[in-house]
Amino acid sequence: IHRMTRLEFAIEGMSCDHCTARVQKALEEAEGVRSVEVTLDPGSAVIVGDALDPEVLVAIVERAGYEARPSG
């Protein structure tokens, strides 16, 4: 049985709605992710899912061209 996990990240480098959509789409494709909410101001992402690995999610955001660090 997997426990749902809720992770928050600060995202740097997003400047427009296109940026938030790009980050959201990248995170939604990650394994175990159930929902993603990305906001431009302040730059943040809230990810809910099963057995999430924060390091993997940070790497996904970095591949999309932005910086992420755990927050909250």
Side-chain angles (χ1 to χ4, degrees):
I1 297 174
H2 289 295
R3 233 179 93 241
M4 290 292 262
T5 307
R6 182 181 187 274
L7 299 176
E8 291 184 43
F9 294 90
I11 311 289
E12 293 182 19
M14 297 187 301
S15 60
C16 64
D17 290 339
H18 175 77
C19 296
T20 59
R22 183 172 173 170
V23 171
Q24 180 149 342
K25 184 176 188 306
L27 289 168
E28 285 172 344
E29 294 174 359
E31 188 174 336
V33 170
R34 296 283 180 96
S35 71
V36 178
E37 183 179 337
V38 179
T39 55
L40 185 59
D41 186 21
S44 65
V46 176
I47 302 119
V48 176
D50 299 316
L52 299 175
D53 183 337
E55 290 180 18
V56 168
L57 298 173
V58 166
I60 287 169
V61 172
E62 289 175 350
R63 275 199 301 274
Y66 306 93
E67 288 186 39
R69 68 179 187 282
S71 67

